[in-house]
Amino acid sequence: MAGTPTPPTSRGEPDPAAARALYSRHADSYDVQTDWAGSDRAKTVDLLGLRPGDTVLDVGCGTGLCFAAIQSQIGPSGRLVGIEPSVEMLGRAAERVARAGWDNVDLRLGLAEEQLRPDDRLDAALFCFTHDVLRSLPALEAVVSRLAPGGRVAAVGPMWAPWWAPAANLLVWYVTSDYVTTYEGFSKPWSHLADLVPSLEVERIDLAGEYFAWGSI
Ligand SMILES: C[S@@+](CC[C@H](N)C(=O)[O-])C[C@H]1O[C@@H](n2cnc3c(N)ncnc32)[C@H](O)[C@@H]1O
């Protein structure tokens, strides 16, 4: 039907233009729609092992739902960089920052692979429900190359459940189809990150179709 977004069937590259269109639609209701994931976000921020004063990148920060957890650990002497290509999602993130009165946040509109600067130095990078980013090698290389020695990464997201759990996969597809632009790598979404961060550890929650991954360079 004309004008109706179609779910991704692609096993190819992430599509940034399609992602902008998706998240432009989601921005108003995103926080309510994804409220169920709050404890997963908190756990993933904890996996970064943040310290006061750290500089943290929230890659694909969306509306900034991870910001409060990050701020509570880095404190006012830390720095939070949020990169997000959807103007509507980043607008919600900016409102959140203004409401909280945080003055240590640097929000950048665009793709991670375009918005990191040569002199950015990161103590940690967060990938919270960012399948498209995890399947973009240019984005991952841009982020990992800015990590300081010992810099940490943590990721959470959906993945295919095992083949013998088709009902779980129907649910995974139903929940994710309007939030990703590719299913490429969906059996092992962390695989490119593991190539760049060899110490990466992974916790698979097979029947929930979800994983956590974390490590340091
Ligand atoms: C499911 S949302 C997750 C938002 C947030 N991290 C959270 O936990 O709620 C995925 C976000 O990744 C963003 N995104 C997609 N491709 C990106 C890229 N190449 N660089 C940075 N962000 C990207 C999307 O615009 C979207 O806001």
Side-chain angles (χ1 to χ4, degrees), residues 77-148:
S77 63
R79 198 162 149 258
L80 169 54
V81 180
I83 298 184
E84 168 55 48
S86 157
V87 66
E88 292 85 0
M89 295 288 273
L90 197 70
R92 299 301 184 288
E95 288 164 14
R96 186 184 306 277
V97 170
R99 273 198 309 276
W102 294 314
D103 61 5
N104 59 346
V105 183
D106 174 4
L107 296 180
R108 303 182 190 172
L109 178 65
L111 303 173
E113 54 271 44
E114 297 167 352
Q115 290 302 319
L116 282 160
R117 301 166 188 151
D119 61 344
D120 279 323
R121 263 291 156 272
L122 308 169
D123 297 301
L126 177 70
F127 302 87
C128 201
F129 296 104
T130 52
H131 181 73
D132 280 20
V133 181
L134 286 170
R135 302 317 296 170
S136 163
L137 263 178
L140 291 182
E141 285 169 352
V143 172
V144 173
S145 67
R146 267 63 171 204
L147 287 171

Coordinates of all heavy atoms in Angstrom, one line a residue, residues 77-148:
S77 N 31.8 15.8 36.4 CA 33.1 16.0 35.8 C 33.3 15.1 34.6 O 34.2 15.2 33.8 CB 34.2 15.6 36.8 OG 34.1 14.2 37.2
G78 N 32.3 14.2 34.3 CA 32.4 13.4 33.1 C 31.8 14.1 31.9 O 31.3 15.2 32.0
R79 N 31.8 13.4 30.8 CA 31.3 14.0 29.6 C 30.5 13.0 28.8 O 30.9 11.8 28.7 CB 32.4 14.5 28.7 CG 32.0 15.5 27.7 CD 33.2 16.3 27.1 NE 33.0 16.6 25.8 CZ 33.5 16.0 24.7 NH1 34.4 15.1 24.9 NH2 33.1 16.3 23.5
L80 N 29.3 13.3 28.3 CA 28.5 12.4 27.6 C 28.3 12.9 26.2 O 27.8 14.1 26.0 CB 27.1 12.3 28.3 CG 25.9 11.6 27.7 CD1 26.3 10.2 27.2 CD2 24.8 11.5 28.6
V81 N 28.6 12.1 25.2 CA 28.4 12.5 23.8 C 27.3 11.6 23.3 O 27.4 10.3 23.4 CB 29.7 12.2 23.0 CG1 29.5 12.6 21.5 CG2 30.9 13.0 23.6
G82 N 26.3 12.1 22.7 CA 25.2 11.4 22.1 C 25.2 11.6 20.6 O 25.1 12.8 20.2
I83 N 25.2 10.6 19.8 CA 25.1 10.7 18.4 C 23.8 10.0 17.9 O 23.6 8.9 18.3 CB 26.3 10.1 17.7 CG1 27.6 10.9 18.1 CG2 26.2 10.2 16.1 CD1 28.9 10.4 17.4
E84 N 23.1 10.7 17.0 CA 21.8 10.2 16.6 C 21.4 10.9 15.3 O 21.4 12.1 15.2 CB 20.7 10.6 17.7 CG 19.3 10.4 17.3 CD 19.0 9.0 16.9 OE1 19.4 8.0 17.5 OE2 18.3 8.9 15.8
P85 N 21.1 10.1 14.3 CA 20.7 10.6 13.0 C 19.3 11.2 12.8 O 19.0 11.9 11.8 CB 21.0 9.5 12.0 CG 20.8 8.2 12.8 CD 21.2 8.6 14.2
S86 N 18.4 10.8 13.7 CA 17.0 11.3 13.5 C 16.8 12.6 14.3 O 17.0 12.7 15.5 CB 16.0 10.2 14.1 OG 14.8 10.9 14.4
V87 N 16.5 13.6 13.5 CA 16.3 15.0 14.1 C 15.3 14.9 15.2 O 15.4 15.6 16.3 CB 16.1 16.0 13.1 CG1 14.8 15.8 12.3 CG2 16.2 17.4 13.6
E88 N 14.2 14.1 15.0 CA 13.1 14.1 15.9 C 13.5 13.4 17.2 O 13.2 13.8 18.3 CB 11.9 13.4 15.3 CG 11.2 14.1 14.2 CD 11.9 13.9 12.8 OE1 12.9 13.1 12.8 OE2 11.4 14.4 11.8
M89 N 14.3 12.3 17.1 CA 14.7 11.6 18.3 C 15.7 12.4 19.0 O 15.7 12.5 20.3 CB 15.4 10.2 17.9 CG 14.5 9.2 17.2 SD 13.3 8.5 18.4 CE 14.2 7.1 19.0
L90 N 16.7 13.1 18.3 CA 17.7 13.9 19.0 C 17.0 15.1 19.7 O 17.5 15.6 20.7 CB 18.7 14.3 18.0 CG 20.0 14.8 18.7 CD1 20.8 13.7 19.4 CD2 21.0 15.5 17.8
G91 N 15.9 15.6 19.1 CA 15.2 16.7 19.7 C 14.7 16.3 21.1 O 14.7 17.1 22.1
R92 N 14.1 15.1 21.2 CA 13.6 14.6 22.5 C 14.8 14.4 23.5 O 14.7 14.7 24.7 CB 12.9 13.2 22.4 CG 11.7 13.2 21.4 CD 10.7 14.2 21.9 NE 9.5 14.2 21.1 CZ 9.3 14.6 19.9 NH1 10.3 15.2 19.2 NH2 8.2 14.6 19.2
A93 N 16.0 14.0 22.9 CA 17.1 13.9 23.8 C 17.6 15.3 24.3 O 17.9 15.4 25.5 CB 18.3 13.2 23.0
A94 N 17.5 16.3 23.5 CA 17.9 17.6 23.9 C 16.9 18.1 25.0 O 17.3 18.8 25.9 CB 17.9 18.5 22.7
E95 N 15.6 17.8 24.8 CA 14.7 18.2 25.8 C 15.0 17.6 27.2 O 14.9 18.2 28.2 CB 13.2 17.9 25.4 CG 12.7 18.7 24.2 CD 11.5 18.1 23.5 OE1 10.9 17.2 24.1 OE2 11.2 18.6 22.4
R96 N 15.4 16.3 27.1 CA 15.7 15.6 28.3 C 16.9 16.2 29.0 O 16.9 16.4 30.3 CB 16.0 14.1 28.0 CG 16.2 13.2 29.2 CD 16.7 11.8 28.7 NE 15.7 11.2 27.8 CZ 14.6 10.6 28.1 NH1 14.3 10.4 29.4 NH2 13.8 10.0 27.2
V97 N 17.9 16.6 28.2 CA 19.1 17.2 28.8 C 18.7 18.6 29.4 O 19.2 18.9 30.6 CB 20.2 17.4 27.7 CG1 21.3 18.3 28.2 CG2 20.7 16.0 27.2
A98 N 17.9 19.3 28.7 CA 17.5 20.6 29.3 C 16.7 20.5 30.6 O 17.0 21.2 31.6 CB 16.7 21.4 28.2
R99 N 15.8 19.5 30.6 CA 15.0 19.3 31.8 C 15.8 18.9 33.0 O 15.6 19.4 34.1 CB 14.0 18.1 31.6 CG 12.7 18.5 30.9 CD 11.6 17.5 31.1 NE 12.0 16.1 30.7 CZ 12.0 15.6 29.5 NH1 11.5 16.4 28.5 NH2 12.3 14.4 29.2
A100 N 16.9 18.1 32.7 CA 17.7 17.7 33.9 C 18.8 18.7 34.2 O 19.4 18.6 35.3 CB 18.4 16.3 33.5
G101 N 19.0 19.7 33.3 CA 20.0 20.7 33.6 C 21.4 20.2 33.5 O 22.4 20.8 34.1
W102 N 21.7 19.1 32.7 CA 23.0 18.6 32.5 C 23.8 19.6 31.6 O 23.3 19.9 30.5 CB 23.0 17.2 31.9 CG 22.4 16.2 32.8 CD1 22.7 15.9 34.1 CD2 21.5 15.1 32.4 NE1 21.9 14.9 34.5 CE2 21.2 14.3 33.5 CE3 20.8 14.8 31.2 CZ2 20.4 13.3 33.5 CZ3 20.0 13.7 31.1 CH2 19.7 13.0 32.3
D103 N 25.0 20.0 32.0 CA 25.8 20.9 31.1 C 27.0 20.2 30.6 O 28.0 20.8 30.1 CB 26.1 22.2 31.8 CG 27.0 21.9 33.1 OD1 27.3 20.8 33.3 OD2 27.2 22.9 33.8
N104 N 27.1 18.9 30.7 CA 28.2 18.1 30.2 C 27.9 17.2 29.1 O 28.5 16.1 28.9 CB 28.8 17.3 31.4 CG 27.8 16.3 32.0 OD1 26.6 16.4 31.7 ND2 28.3 15.4 32.8
V105 N 26.8 17.5 28.3 CA 26.3 16.7 27.2 C 26.6 17.3 25.9 O 26.2 18.5 25.7 CB 24.8 16.3 27.4 CG1 24.4 15.4 26.3 CG2 24.6 15.8 28.8
D106 N 27.1 16.6 24.9 CA 27.4 17.0 23.6 C 26.5 16.2 22.6 O 26.8 15.0 22.4 CB 28.9 16.9 23.4 CG 29.3 17.1 21.9 OD1 28.5 17.6 21.1 OD2 30.5 16.9 21.7
L107 N 25.5 16.8 22.1 CA 24.6 16.0 21.2 C 24.9 16.3 19.8 O 25.1 17.5 19.4 CB 23.1 16.4 21.5 CG 22.6 16.0 22.8 CD1 21.1 16.4 23.0 CD2 22.7 14.5 23.1
R108 N 25.1 15.3 18.9 CA 25.5 15.5 17.5 C 24.5 14.8 16.6 O 24.2 13.6 16.8 CB 26.9 14.9 17.3 CG 27.9 15.5 18.2 CD 29.3 15.0 17.9 NE 30.2 15.4 19.0 CZ 31.5 14.9 19.1 NH1 32.0 14.0 18.2 NH2 32.3 15.3 20.1
L109 N 24.0 15.5 15.7 CA 23.0 15.0 14.7 C 23.7 14.4 13.5 O 24.4 15.1 12.8 CB 22.1 16.2 14.2 CG 21.0 15.8 13.2 CD1 20.0 14.8 13.8 CD2 20.4 17.1 12.7
G110 N 23.5 13.1 13.3 CA 24.1 12.4 12.2 C 24.4 11.0 12.5 O 24.1 10.5 13.6
L111 N 25.1 10.4 11.5 CA 25.6 9.0 11.7 C 26.8 8.9 12.5 O 27.7 9.9 12.4 CB 25.8 8.3 10.4 CG 24.6 8.3 9.4 CD1 25.0 7.8 8.0 CD2 23.4 7.5 10.0
A112 N 27.1 7.9 13.3 CA 28.3 7.7 14.1 C 29.5 7.8 13.2 O 30.5 8.5 13.6 CB 28.3 6.4 14.8
E113 N 29.4 7.3 12.0 CA 30.6 7.3 11.1 C 30.9 8.7 10.6 O 32.0 8.9 10.0 CB 30.4 6.2 10.0 CG 29.2 6.4 9.1 CD 28.0 5.6 9.7 OE1 27.8 5.6 10.9 OE2 27.3 5.0 8.9
E114 N 30.0 9.6 10.7 CA 30.2 11.0 10.2 C 30.5 11.9 11.3 O 31.1 13.0 11.1 CB 28.9 11.5 9.4 CG 28.6 10.7 8.2 CD 27.2 11.0 7.7 OE1 26.4 11.7 8.4 OE2 26.8 10.5 6.7
Q115 N 30.0 11.7 12.5 CA 30.0 12.7 13.5 C 31.1 12.6 14.5 O 31.3 13.5 15.4 CB 28.6 12.6 14.3 CG 27.5 13.1 13.5 CD 27.7 14.6 13.0 OE1 28.2 15.4 13.7 NE2 27.3 14.8 11.7
L116 N 31.9 11.5 14.5 CA 33.1 11.5 15.4 C 34.2 12.3 14.8 O 34.4 12.3 13.6 CB 33.5 10.0 15.6 CG 32.5 9.4 16.6 CD1 32.6 7.9 16.5 CD2 32.8 9.8 18.0
R117 N 34.9 13.0 15.6 CA 36.0 13.9 15.2 C 37.3 13.2 15.4 O 37.4 12.4 16.3 CB 35.9 15.2 15.9 CG 34.6 15.9 15.7 CD 34.3 17.0 16.7 NE 33.0 17.5 16.6 CZ 32.2 18.0 17.6 NH1 32.7 18.2 18.8 NH2 31.0 18.4 17.4
P118 N 38.3 13.7 14.7 CA 39.6 13.0 14.8 C 40.2 13.1 16.3 O 40.8 12.1 16.7 CB 40.6 13.8 13.9 CG 39.6 14.4 12.9 CD 38.3 14.7 13.6
D119 N 39.8 14.1 17.0 CA 40.4 14.3 18.3 C 39.4 13.8 19.4 O 39.7 14.0 20.6 CB 40.8 15.7 18.6 CG 39.6 16.7 18.5 OD1 38.5 16.2 18.0 OD2 39.6 17.8 19.0
D120 N 38.3 13.1 19.1 CA 37.5 12.5 20.1 C 38.2 11.4 20.8 O 38.8 10.6 20.2 CB 36.2 12.0 19.5 CG 35.1 13.0 19.2 OD1 35.0 13.9 20.1 OD2 34.4 12.9 18.2
R121 N 38.2 11.4 22.1 CA 38.8 10.3 22.9 C 37.8 9.8 23.9 O 37.3 10.6 24.8 CB 40.0 10.9 23.7 CG 41.4 10.7 23.0 CD 41.7 9.2 23.0 NE 42.7 8.8 22.0 CZ 42.3 8.4 20.7 NH1 41.1 8.4 20.4 NH2 43.2 8.1 19.8
L122 N 37.5 8.6 23.8 CA 36.4 8.0 24.6 C 36.9 7.0 25.6 O 37.8 6.2 25.3 CB 35.4 7.3 23.7 CG 34.9 8.1 22.5 CD1 34.1 7.2 21.5 CD2 34.0 9.2 23.0
D123 N 36.3 7.0 26.8 CA 36.6 6.0 27.8 C 35.7 4.8 27.6 O 36.0 3.7 28.0 CB 36.4 6.5 29.2 CG 37.4 7.6 29.5 OD1 38.6 7.4 29.4 OD2 37.0 8.8 29.8
A124 N 34.5 5.1 27.0 CA 33.5 4.0 26.9 C 32.5 4.3 25.8 O 32.3 5.5 25.5 CB 32.8 3.8 28.2
A125 N 32.0 3.3 25.1 CA 31.0 3.5 24.1 C 29.8 2.5 24.3 O 30.0 1.3 24.5 CB 31.6 3.3 22.7
L126 N 28.6 3.0 24.3 CA 27.4 2.2 24.5 C 26.6 2.0 23.2 O 26.4 3.0 22.5 CB 26.5 3.0 25.5 CG 25.2 2.4 25.9 CD1 25.4 1.2 26.8 CD2 24.4 3.5 26.7
F127 N 26.2 0.8 23.0 CA 25.3 0.4 21.8 C 24.1 -0.2 22.4 O 24.0 -1.4 22.7 CB 26.0 -0.6 20.9 CG 27.4 -0.1 20.4 CD1 28.6 -0.3 21.1 CD2 27.5 0.5 19.2 CE1 29.8 0.1 20.6 CE2 28.7 0.9 18.7 CZ 29.9 0.7 19.4
C128 N 23.1 0.6 22.6 CA 21.9 0.1 23.3 C 20.8 0.0 22.3 O 20.2 1.0 21.8 CB 21.5 1.1 24.4 SG 20.5 0.4 25.7
F129 N 20.4 -1.2 21.9 CA 19.4 -1.5 20.9 C 19.7 -0.8 19.6 O 18.9 0.0 19.1 CB 18.0 -1.1 21.4 CG 17.6 -1.9 22.6 CD1 17.7 -1.4 23.9 CD2 17.2 -3.3 22.5 CE1 17.4 -2.2 25.0 CE2 16.9 -4.1 23.6 CZ 17.0 -3.5 24.9
T130 N 20.9 -1.0 19.1 CA 21.3 -0.3 17.9 C 21.8 -1.3 16.8 O 23.0 -1.3 16.5 CB 22.5 0.7 18.2 OG1 23.5 0.1 18.9 CG2 21.9 1.9 19.0
H131 N 20.9 -2.2 16.4 CA 21.4 -3.3 15.5 C 22.0 -2.7 14.2 O 23.0 -3.1 13.7 CB 20.2 -4.2 15.1 CG 20.5 -5.3 14.2 ND1 21.3 -6.3 14.6 CD2 20.3 -5.4 12.8 CE1 21.5 -7.1 13.5 NE2 20.9 -6.6 12.5
D132 N 21.3 -1.6 13.7 CA 21.9 -1.0 12.4 C 23.3 -0.6 12.6 O 24.1 -0.7 11.7 CB 21.0 0.2 12.0 CG 19.7 -0.3 11.2 OD1 19.3 -1.4 11.4 OD2 19.2 0.6 10.5
V133 N 23.6 0.0 13.7 CA 25.0 0.5 14.0 C 25.9 -0.7 14.1 O 27.0 -0.7 13.5 CB 25.0 1.4 15.3 CG1 26.4 1.9 15.5 CG2 24.1 2.5 15.2
L134 N 25.5 -1.7 14.8 CA 26.4 -2.9 15.0 C 26.7 -3.6 13.7 O 27.6 -4.3 13.6 CB 25.8 -3.8 16.0 CG 25.9 -3.3 17.4 CD1 25.0 -4.2 18.4 CD2 27.3 -3.3 18.0
R135 N 25.8 -3.4 12.7 CA 26.0 -4.1 11.4 C 26.7 -3.1 10.4 O 26.8 -3.4 9.2 CB 24.7 -4.7 10.8 CG 24.1 -5.7 11.7 CD 25.0 -6.7 12.4 NE 25.7 -7.5 11.4 CZ 26.7 -8.4 11.7 NH1 27.2 -8.4 13.0 NH2 27.2 -9.1 10.8
S136 N 27.1 -2.0 10.8 CA 27.8 -1.0 10.0 C 29.3 -0.9 10.4 O 29.6 -0.4 11.4 CB 27.1 0.4 10.1 OG 28.0 1.4 9.6
L137 N 30.1 -1.5 9.5 CA 31.5 -1.5 9.9 C 32.1 -0.1 9.9 O 32.9 0.2 10.9 CB 32.3 -2.4 8.8 CG 32.6 -3.8 9.2 CD1 33.3 -4.5 8.1 CD2 33.5 -3.8 10.5
P138 N 31.8 0.8 9.0 CA 32.3 2.2 9.1 C 31.9 2.8 10.5 O 32.8 3.5 11.1 CB 31.6 2.9 8.0 CG 31.3 1.8 7.0 CD 31.0 0.6 7.8
A139 N 30.7 2.6 10.9 CA 30.3 3.1 12.2 C 31.1 2.5 13.4 O 31.7 3.2 14.2 CB 28.8 2.9 12.5
L140 N 31.3 1.2 13.4 CA 32.0 0.6 14.5 C 33.5 1.0 14.4 O 34.1 1.2 15.5 CB 31.9 -1.0 14.3 CG 30.5 -1.5 14.6 CD1 30.6 -3.1 14.5 CD2 30.0 -1.1 16.0
E141 N 34.1 1.0 13.3 CA 35.5 1.4 13.2 C 35.7 2.8 13.7 O 36.7 3.1 14.4 CB 36.0 1.2 11.7 CG 36.2 -0.2 11.4 CD 36.4 -0.5 9.9 OE1 36.3 0.4 9.1 OE2 36.7 -1.7 9.6
A142 N 34.8 3.7 13.3 CA 34.9 5.1 13.8 C 34.8 5.1 15.3 O 35.6 5.9 16.0 CB 33.7 5.9 13.2
V143 N 33.9 4.4 15.9 CA 33.8 4.4 17.4 C 35.0 3.8 18.1 O 35.7 4.4 18.9 CB 32.5 3.7 17.8 CG1 32.5 3.5 19.3 CG2 31.3 4.4 17.3
V144 N 35.4 2.5 17.6 CA 36.4 1.8 18.4 C 37.8 2.5 18.2 O 38.6 2.5 19.1 CB 36.5 0.3 17.9 CG1 37.7 -0.4 18.4 CG2 35.2 -0.4 18.3
S145 N 38.0 3.2 17.1 CA 39.3 3.9 16.9 C 39.4 5.1 17.8 O 40.5 5.6 18.0 CB 39.4 4.3 15.4 OG 38.5 5.3 15.1
R146 N 38.3 5.6 18.3 CA 38.4 6.7 19.3 C 38.5 6.3 20.7 O 38.5 7.1 21.6 CB 37.1 7.6 19.1 CG 37.3 8.8 18.2 CD 37.5 8.3 16.8 NE 37.4 9.4 15.8 CZ 37.1 9.2 14.5 NH1 36.9 8.0 14.0 NH2 37.1 10.2 13.7
L147 N 38.4 5.0 21.0 CA 38.5 4.5 22.4 C 40.0 4.7 22.9 O 40.9 4.4 22.2 CB 38.1 3.1 22.5 CG 36.6 2.7 22.4 CD1 36.4 1.2 22.3 CD2 35.8 3.3 23.5
A148 N 40.1 5.2 24.1 CA 41.4 5.3 24.7 C 41.9 3.9 25.1 O 41.1 3.0 25.2 CB 41.3 6.2 26.0

